[in-house]
Amino acid sequence: MLDIVIRIALLCCSLAMLGLIYRVIKGPAIPDRVIALDAVGVNLVAITALISIVLHSSAFLEIILLIGILAFIGTIAFAKYLEKGVIIERDSHR
Amino acid sequence: MKKTNNIILETALKALLFFIVLYSVYIFTAGHYYPGGGFIGGLMTSGAIVLLLITYDIKTVQRILPINYRIITAIGLLFAIGTSAGSLFFNVPFLTHAFTHVELPVLGDLSLHTATLFDLGVYFVVVGVTMTIIQTIGEDE
């Protein structure tokens, strides 16, 4: 029973990722693409959790936190680039 | 460049940085029995420092963490070579590691392995190289 439910959930996550990838390709502005990529990262976390249930393994639980942190850092870096044109400033108080 | 105020990011950083550094230390120490190790732990630590660099700027981060990352790389290589060459003093081949069980009052039975010191060298080299690359590119005009 749980197996079928997890397969259906995986299918739903894959469909959501397809919709997000459509937004990444088609998105009219850069921020649309950035937000779509951030949501792809969140979907990837969900898919990793479901796959680790399917495989009866707890070896992927570190990966979930890793994807979350990396998606956050990437989105912050993109947002700062879009706002200021530079990711790492030399001196912000001059 | 217009004047901006990123107080939300700075407040979020104060909470998040602790968790990212703690997670990197966990993934470094768990590397012997679980997925992880020196490489990914070093990458996560440099990810935390990169988050600091993005939130503030290079001068502020240099004041918070007054570290020369080239020296960190050298210390890491010294750790790796030292633990490898230390086995030569005991008439065993290069890179032979040893481990022992130690009974400590609070922590209980600990299995201490010299491969951890080698992994610490890998950790320092990864942090040093990554931060040298990112800071050198960031300082470039």
Side-chain angles (χ1 to χ4, degrees):
Chain A
M1 186 59 202
L2 185 67
D3 208 45
I4 301 167
V5 172
I6 288 169
R7 304 280 154 125
I8 292 169
L10 271 173
L11 193 70
C12 292
C13 283
S14 316
L15 289 177
M17 269 177 101
L18 277 181
L20 288 166
I21 286 168
Y22 170 76
R23 190 41 65 189
V24 170
I25 296 169
K26 183 83 176 183
I30 302 288
D32 297 326
R33 296 193 169 100
V34 173
I35 289 184
L37 280 174
D38 192 43
V40 165
V42 174
N43 261 307
L44 216 55
V45 167
I47 286 181
T48 313
L50 290 170
I51 287 286
S52 77
I53 295 173
V54 169
L55 297 179
H56 295 289
S57 157
S58 63
F60 300 124
L61 297 184
E62 280 97 356
I63 311 295
I64 292 172
L65 199 50
L66 195 72
I67 294 173
I69 293 170
L70 288 183
F72 176 71
I73 293 177
T75 310
I76 292 292
F78 252 119
K80 183 155 182 190
Y81 177 71
L82 290 176
E83 191 183 346
K84 294 193 176 177
V86 60
I87 293 176
I88 297 174
E89 295 165 281
R90 305 183 75 188
D91 190 3
S92 59
H93 302 294
R94 57 184 160 190
Chain B
M1 193 187 296
K2 58 178 182 288
K3 194 78 177 165
T4 52
N5 189 0
N6 49 359
I7 189 163
I8 294 177
L9 179 58
E10 286 175 11
T11 312
L13 179 88
K14 277 166 196 152
L16 277 173
L17 199 69
F18 173 71
F19 285 107
I20 299 177
V21 172
L22 194 69
Y23 175 62
S24 75
V25 170
Y26 161 71
I27 217 166
F28 165 72
T29 49
H32 196 74
Y33 295 107
Y34 299 103
F39 184 77
I40 186 73
L43 278 182
M44 285 318 293
T45 306
S46 40
I49 303 172
V50 165
L51 199 57
L52 262 180
L53 277 174
I54 291 172
T55 311
Y56 300 109
D57 52 290
I58 287 181
K59 274 190 177 171
T60 314
V61 174
Q62 200 58 246
R63 206 165 61 238
I64 296 169
L65 288 172
I67 296 169
N68 187 353
Y69 293 104
R70 296 173 185 86
I71 294 176
I72 294 284
T73 312
I75 289 173
L77 288 173
L78 210 64
F79 261 105
I81 291 183
T83 47
S84 319
S87 61
L88 292 176
F89 291 112
F90 300 100
N91 282 326
V92 285
F94 191 68
L95 270 173
T96 305
H97 287 289
F99 77 99
T100 180
H101 286 273
V102 177
E103 195 76 38
L104 287 181
V106 179
L107 299 169
D109 185 32
L110 280 181
S111 147
L112 299 178
H113 204 296
T114 53
T116 309
L117 292 174
F118 189 85
D119 220 22
L120 195 66
V122 174
Y123 179 88
F124 280 149
V125 169
V126 170
V127 171
V129 168
T130 316
M131 291 318 296
T132 306
I133 291 171
I134 290 172
Q135 275 203 339
T136 313
I137 293 174
E139 281 170 349
D140 211 24
E141 276 292 303

mmCIF file of all heavy atoms in Angstrom, chain A residues 15-41:
data_model
loop_
_atom_site.group_PDB
_atom_site.id
_atom_site.type_symbol
_atom_site.label_atom_id
_atom_site.label_comp_id
_atom_site.label_asym_id
_atom_site.label_seq_id
_atom_site.Cartn_x
_atom_site.Cartn_y
_atom_site.Cartn_z
ATOM 1 N N LEU A 15 6.095 15.477 -12.195
ATOM 2 C CA LEU A 15 5.265 16.367 -13.020
ATOM 3 C C LEU A 15 5.469 17.821 -12.604
ATOM 4 O O LEU A 15 5.551 18.718 -13.458
ATOM 5 C CB LEU A 15 3.791 15.972 -12.898
ATOM 6 C CG LEU A 15 3.420 14.654 -13.586
ATOM 7 C CD1 LEU A 15 1.955 14.334 -13.338
ATOM 8 C CD2 LEU A 15 3.695 14.741 -15.075
ATOM 9 N N ALA A 16 5.581 18.062 -11.284
ATOM 10 C CA ALA A 16 5.815 19.429 -10.807
ATOM 11 C C ALA A 16 7.152 19.937 -11.318
ATOM 12 O O ALA A 16 7.274 21.110 -11.719
ATOM 13 C CB ALA A 16 5.789 19.456 -9.273
ATOM 14 N N MET A 17 8.173 19.041 -11.331
ATOM 15 C CA MET A 17 9.480 19.481 -11.837
ATOM 16 C C MET A 17 9.431 19.768 -13.321
ATOM 17 O O MET A 17 10.100 20.695 -13.793
ATOM 18 C CB MET A 17 10.530 18.413 -11.547
ATOM 19 C CG MET A 17 11.209 18.634 -10.229
ATOM 20 S SD MET A 17 12.364 17.347 -9.884
ATOM 21 C CE MET A 17 13.865 18.135 -10.311
ATOM 22 N N LEU A 18 8.611 19.000 -14.061
ATOM 23 C CA LEU A 18 8.476 19.295 -15.498
ATOM 24 C C LEU A 18 7.870 20.680 -15.701
ATOM 25 O O LEU A 18 8.334 21.447 -16.559
ATOM 26 C CB LEU A 18 7.605 18.235 -16.171
ATOM 27 C CG LEU A 18 8.327 16.950 -16.562
ATOM 28 C CD1 LEU A 18 7.343 16.005 -17.227
ATOM 29 C CD2 LEU A 18 9.461 17.248 -17.508
ATOM 30 N N GLY A 19 6.843 21.002 -14.909
ATOM 31 C CA GLY A 19 6.258 22.334 -15.011
ATOM 32 C C GLY A 19 7.260 23.427 -14.677
ATOM 33 O O GLY A 19 7.323 24.465 -15.345
ATOM 34 N N LEU A 20 8.095 23.162 -13.650
ATOM 35 C CA LEU A 20 9.099 24.172 -13.274
ATOM 36 C C LEU A 20 10.151 24.321 -14.355
ATOM 37 O O LEU A 20 10.640 25.431 -14.616
ATOM 38 C CB LEU A 20 9.742 23.775 -11.952
ATOM 39 C CG LEU A 20 8.841 23.938 -10.738
ATOM 40 C CD1 LEU A 20 9.409 23.216 -9.561
ATOM 41 C CD2 LEU A 20 8.685 25.403 -10.435
ATOM 42 N N ILE A 21 10.509 23.184 -15.006
ATOM 43 C CA ILE A 21 11.522 23.275 -16.065
ATOM 44 C C ILE A 21 10.962 24.037 -17.270
ATOM 45 O O ILE A 21 11.676 24.804 -17.927
ATOM 46 C CB ILE A 21 12.009 21.860 -16.438
ATOM 47 C CG1 ILE A 21 12.912 21.337 -15.327
ATOM 48 C CG2 ILE A 21 12.768 21.852 -17.744
ATOM 49 C CD1 ILE A 21 13.231 19.894 -15.427
ATOM 50 N N TYR A 22 9.642 23.887 -17.511
ATOM 51 C CA TYR A 22 9.003 24.709 -18.545
ATOM 52 C C TYR A 22 9.163 26.185 -18.192
ATOM 53 O O TYR A 22 9.487 27.013 -19.054
ATOM 54 C CB TYR A 22 7.525 24.328 -18.654
ATOM 55 C CG TYR A 22 6.724 25.266 -19.512
ATOM 56 C CD1 TYR A 22 6.820 25.218 -20.894
ATOM 57 C CD2 TYR A 22 5.881 26.214 -18.935
ATOM 58 C CE1 TYR A 22 6.092 26.084 -21.670
ATOM 59 C CE2 TYR A 22 5.154 27.087 -19.709
ATOM 60 C CZ TYR A 22 5.265 27.017 -21.082
ATOM 61 O OH TYR A 22 4.555 27.888 -21.851
ATOM 62 N N ARG A 23 9.003 26.528 -16.894
ATOM 63 C CA ARG A 23 9.132 27.929 -16.490
ATOM 64 C C ARG A 23 10.584 28.408 -16.599
ATOM 65 O O ARG A 23 10.846 29.553 -16.939
ATOM 66 C CB ARG A 23 8.599 28.070 -15.054
ATOM 67 C CG ARG A 23 8.432 29.461 -14.517
ATOM 68 C CD ARG A 23 7.868 30.458 -15.481
ATOM 69 N NE ARG A 23 6.523 30.193 -15.897
ATOM 70 C CZ ARG A 23 5.933 30.860 -16.873
ATOM 71 N NH1 ARG A 23 6.556 31.842 -17.492
ATOM 72 N NH2 ARG A 23 4.729 30.541 -17.237
ATOM 73 N N VAL A 24 11.552 27.492 -16.331
ATOM 74 C CA VAL A 24 12.969 27.865 -16.471
ATOM 75 C C VAL A 24 13.286 28.190 -17.924
ATOM 76 O O VAL A 24 13.960 29.179 -18.225
ATOM 77 C CB VAL A 24 13.875 26.723 -15.955
ATOM 78 C CG1 VAL A 24 15.323 26.992 -16.319
ATOM 79 C CG2 VAL A 24 13.767 26.589 -14.465
ATOM 80 N N ILE A 25 12.758 27.365 -18.845
ATOM 81 C CA ILE A 25 13.082 27.586 -20.262
ATOM 82 C C ILE A 25 12.341 28.802 -20.791
ATOM 83 O O ILE A 25 12.910 29.646 -21.484
ATOM 84 C CB ILE A 25 12.727 26.328 -21.071
ATOM 85 C CG1 ILE A 25 13.594 25.163 -20.623
ATOM 86 C CG2 ILE A 25 12.894 26.565 -22.561
ATOM 87 C CD1 ILE A 25 13.158 23.844 -21.168
ATOM 88 N N LYS A 26 11.048 28.922 -20.421
ATOM 89 C CA LYS A 26 10.173 29.901 -21.066
ATOM 90 C C LYS A 26 10.186 31.248 -20.354
ATOM 91 O O LYS A 26 9.876 32.270 -20.965
ATOM 92 C CB LYS A 26 8.744 29.313 -21.067
ATOM 93 C CG LYS A 26 7.704 30.137 -21.752
ATOM 94 C CD LYS A 26 7.690 29.917 -23.247
ATOM 95 C CE LYS A 26 6.550 30.720 -23.835
ATOM 96 N NZ LYS A 26 6.408 30.504 -25.278
ATOM 97 N N GLY A 27 10.561 31.238 -19.022
ATOM 98 C CA GLY A 27 10.405 32.424 -18.178
ATOM 99 C C GLY A 27 10.802 33.728 -18.837
ATOM 100 O O GLY A 27 11.930 33.859 -19.318
ATOM 101 N N PRO A 28 9.936 34.721 -18.866
ATOM 102 C CA PRO A 28 10.266 35.940 -19.616
ATOM 103 C C PRO A 28 11.423 36.718 -19.000
ATOM 104 O O PRO A 28 12.215 37.296 -19.738
ATOM 105 C CB PRO A 28 8.964 36.739 -19.586
ATOM 106 C CG PRO A 28 8.155 36.156 -18.510
ATOM 107 C CD PRO A 28 8.577 34.750 -18.336
ATOM 108 N N ALA A 29 11.564 36.712 -17.666
ATOM 109 C CA ALA A 29 12.630 37.497 -17.027
ATOM 110 C C ALA A 29 13.546 36.555 -16.257
ATOM 111 O O ALA A 29 13.214 35.393 -15.998
ATOM 112 C CB ALA A 29 12.025 38.540 -16.086
ATOM 113 N N ILE A 30 14.730 37.070 -15.882
ATOM 114 C CA ILE A 30 15.692 36.253 -15.129
ATOM 115 C C ILE A 30 15.138 35.848 -13.755
ATOM 116 O O ILE A 30 15.299 34.701 -13.355
ATOM 117 C CB ILE A 30 17.026 37.017 -14.986
ATOM 118 C CG1 ILE A 30 17.584 37.369 -16.364
ATOM 119 C CG2 ILE A 30 18.039 36.185 -14.239
ATOM 120 C CD1 ILE A 30 18.119 36.223 -17.134
ATOM 121 N N PRO A 31 14.484 36.747 -12.973
ATOM 122 C CA PRO A 31 13.984 36.317 -11.657
ATOM 123 C C PRO A 31 13.015 35.148 -11.728
ATOM 124 O O PRO A 31 13.016 34.307 -10.826
ATOM 125 C CB PRO A 31 13.296 37.569 -11.123
ATOM 126 C CG PRO A 31 14.015 38.677 -11.743
ATOM 127 C CD PRO A 31 14.365 38.217 -13.112
ATOM 128 N N ASP A 32 12.202 35.053 -12.805
ATOM 129 C CA ASP A 32 11.321 33.889 -12.938
ATOM 130 C C ASP A 32 12.131 32.609 -12.987
ATOM 131 O O ASP A 32 11.805 31.620 -12.333
ATOM 132 C CB ASP A 32 10.494 34.015 -14.219
ATOM 133 C CG ASP A 32 9.593 35.218 -14.178
ATOM 134 O OD1 ASP A 32 9.129 35.535 -13.085
ATOM 135 O OD2 ASP A 32 9.369 35.838 -15.235
ATOM 136 N N ARG A 33 13.221 32.645 -13.735
ATOM 137 C CA ARG A 33 14.055 31.445 -13.865
ATOM 138 C C ARG A 33 14.713 31.097 -12.537
ATOM 139 O O ARG A 33 14.812 29.928 -12.171
ATOM 140 C CB ARG A 33 15.127 31.671 -14.926
ATOM 141 C CG ARG A 33 14.552 31.874 -16.315
ATOM 142 C CD ARG A 33 15.632 31.778 -17.361
ATOM 143 N NE ARG A 33 15.052 31.718 -18.681
ATOM 144 C CZ ARG A 33 14.967 32.748 -19.488
ATOM 145 N NH1 ARG A 33 15.422 33.927 -19.110
ATOM 146 N NH2 ARG A 33 14.431 32.600 -20.688
ATOM 147 N N VAL A 34 15.175 32.135 -11.798
ATOM 148 C CA VAL A 34 15.843 31.882 -10.507
ATOM 149 C C VAL A 34 14.878 31.238 -9.526
ATOM 150 O O VAL A 34 15.211 30.255 -8.855
ATOM 151 C CB VAL A 34 16.414 33.197 -9.940
ATOM 152 C CG1 VAL A 34 16.956 32.974 -8.544
ATOM 153 C CG2 VAL A 34 17.505 33.725 -10.839
ATOM 154 N N ILE A 35 13.654 31.764 -9.467
ATOM 155 C CA ILE A 35 12.674 31.208 -8.515
ATOM 156 C C ILE A 35 12.291 29.799 -8.936
ATOM 157 O O ILE A 35 12.131 28.904 -8.092
ATOM 158 C CB ILE A 35 11.459 32.149 -8.425
ATOM 159 C CG1 ILE A 35 11.881 33.410 -7.695
ATOM 160 C CG2 ILE A 35 10.322 31.488 -7.701
ATOM 161 C CD1 ILE A 35 10.790 34.378 -7.453
ATOM 162 N N ALA A 36 12.196 29.566 -10.255
ATOM 163 C CA ALA A 36 11.875 28.216 -10.715
ATOM 164 C C ALA A 36 12.992 27.240 -10.348
ATOM 165 O O ALA A 36 12.721 26.109 -9.933
ATOM 166 C CB ALA A 36 11.645 28.226 -12.227
ATOM 167 N N LEU A 37 14.252 27.670 -10.464
ATOM 168 C CA LEU A 37 15.367 26.796 -10.095
ATOM 169 C C LEU A 37 15.380 26.510 -8.597
ATOM 170 O O LEU A 37 15.678 25.392 -8.172
ATOM 171 C CB LEU A 37 16.688 27.420 -10.517
ATOM 172 C CG LEU A 37 17.038 27.248 -11.987
ATOM 173 C CD1 LEU A 37 18.280 28.021 -12.316
ATOM 174 C CD2 LEU A 37 17.271 25.795 -12.300
ATOM 175 N N ASP A 38 15.028 27.523 -7.791
ATOM 176 C CA ASP A 38 14.942 27.307 -6.344
ATOM 177 C C ASP A 38 13.870 26.273 -6.030
ATOM 178 O O ASP A 38 14.084 25.362 -5.205
ATOM 179 C CB ASP A 38 14.620 28.640 -5.660
ATOM 180 C CG ASP A 38 14.811 28.565 -4.166
ATOM 181 O OD1 ASP A 38 15.817 27.980 -3.744
ATOM 182 O OD2 ASP A 38 13.963 29.075 -3.436
ATOM 183 N N ALA A 39 12.728 26.352 -6.713
ATOM 184 C CA ALA A 39 11.660 25.385 -6.469
ATOM 185 C C ALA A 39 12.045 24.002 -6.976
ATOM 186 O O ALA A 39 11.627 22.988 -6.406
ATOM 187 C CB ALA A 39 10.374 25.865 -7.141
ATOM 188 N N VAL A 40 12.864 23.937 -8.041
ATOM 189 C CA VAL A 40 13.389 22.639 -8.502
ATOM 190 C C VAL A 40 14.220 22.008 -7.397
ATOM 191 O O VAL A 40 14.128 20.794 -7.146
ATOM 192 C CB VAL A 40 14.208 22.822 -9.796
ATOM 193 C CG1 VAL A 40 15.046 21.596 -10.058
ATOM 194 C CG2 VAL A 40 13.295 23.038 -10.971
ATOM 195 N N GLY A 41 15.003 22.838 -6.683
ATOM 196 C CA GLY A 41 15.799 22.313 -5.572
ATOM 197 C C GLY A 41 14.914 21.737 -4.478
ATOM 198 O O GLY A 41 15.190 20.663 -3.942
#
